[in-house]
Amino acid sequence: MRINDYTCFVGVDVSKEKLDVYRPDTKAFSQLNSSEEDTQAFYKTLKRKRQRTIVVMEATGGYE
C-alpha cells in the first residue's frame, strides 16, 4: 500500500494572525485566525475524518 492510498495531506500557510488552509480532499480553501480556539476547532474537523491526515505547514514572515 502506498502512502497516498490512505493518507490525506492538508496544506497550511502560517502567519502571525492567520492560517491559510487548503484541503485537497474537499478542494476547499479556508482562513482561520491564528488563535488556540480556531486551531483546536480545525484539529477536531480533521480528527473526525477517521483517515490518516498529514498537515504540511509553511511559515511566512519569520515564523519558520
Side-chain angles (χ1 to χ4, degrees), residues 29-44:
F29 288 96
S30 60
Q31 195 172 72
L32 312 171
N33 288 323
S34 193
S35 68
E36 186 173 346
E37 296 83 21
D38 283 1
T39 304
Q40 287 295 326
F42 172 62
Y43 169 74
K44 287 178 183 178

Side-chain angles (χ1 to χ4, degrees), residues 42-56:
F42 172 62
Y43 169 74
K44 287 178 183 178
T45 63
L46 295 179
K47 192 172 180 180
R48 274 186 253 141
K49 292 172 47 63
R50 297 184 183 259
Q51 177 184 15
R52 181 177 173 179
T53 303
I54 296 175
V55 178
V56 181

Side-chain angles (χ1 to χ4, degrees), residues 9-10 19 22 27 29 32 40 49 59 64:
F9 292 89
V10 176
L19 303 175
Y22 177 68
K27 296 184 174 138
F29 288 96
L32 312 171
Q40 287 295 326
K49 292 172 47 63
E64 49 287 309

